[in-house]
Amino acid sequence: MSIDLADFIRRAALARGIDPEIALRVARSEGGLSDPTKQSDVMRNGQREPSFGPFQLLIGGENGFPLGMGNDAMKAGVDPRTNWQGGVEFALDDLAVVTDANEVRCP
């Protein structure tokens, strides 16, 4: 049985006390909801940005891109290039830690 990406994000957000509509809006604006392992289409200096999944977790470092949330996910054993469910949960876990349920803060 295939899991619907939007439904997975909704359920994962609710489980963390995050407004699922906010989570879905962020996912739509980042990687979208059509391909759960989508890599960014952004090009910089001839290289495709290594951001993956609906929340576009960046795996940077020696590739000329800064370290990102994808690096943190990889350290935790979640590869957002192949494990979209783990990437969604990792991103939402991070949001749940840095903000209350319905407030999105920017640094």
Side-chain angles (χ1 to χ4, degrees):
M1 177 172 111
S2 146
I3 298 174
D4 176 74
L5 177 56
D7 187 50
F8 186 87
I9 291 171
R10 246 185 235 101
R11 290 172 190 234
L14 281 170
R16 290 158 177 82
I18 297 168
D19 181 330
E21 292 310 311
I22 291 174
L24 285 168
R25 277 184 277 182
V26 171
R28 282 186 194 104
S29 73
E30 291 287 330
L33 299 175
S34 62
D35 179 358
T37 58
K38 175 182 174 37
Q39 182 177 355
S40 174
D41 293 324
V42 172
M43 298 292 289
R44 183 168 65 174
N45 298 326
Q47 284 191 293
R48 190 171 174 190
E49 181 180 289
S51 295
F52 300 89
F55 292 106
Q56 291 294 282
L57 303 185
L58 175 66
I59 301 171
E62 296 177 15
N63 54 13
F65 290 86
L67 296 176
M69 190 180 285
N71 294 91
D72 295 337
M74 297 284 281
K75 285 180 194 170
V78 176
D79 186 341
R81 297 171 293 191
T82 58
N83 179 358
W84 67 266
Q85 294 100 330
V88 166
E89 291 176 338
F90 188 87
L92 293 175
D93 283 344
D94 188 68
L95 178 62
V97 167
V98 299
T99 186
D100 74 28
N102 292 307
E103 172 191 342
V104 176
R105 291 185 290 168
C106 297

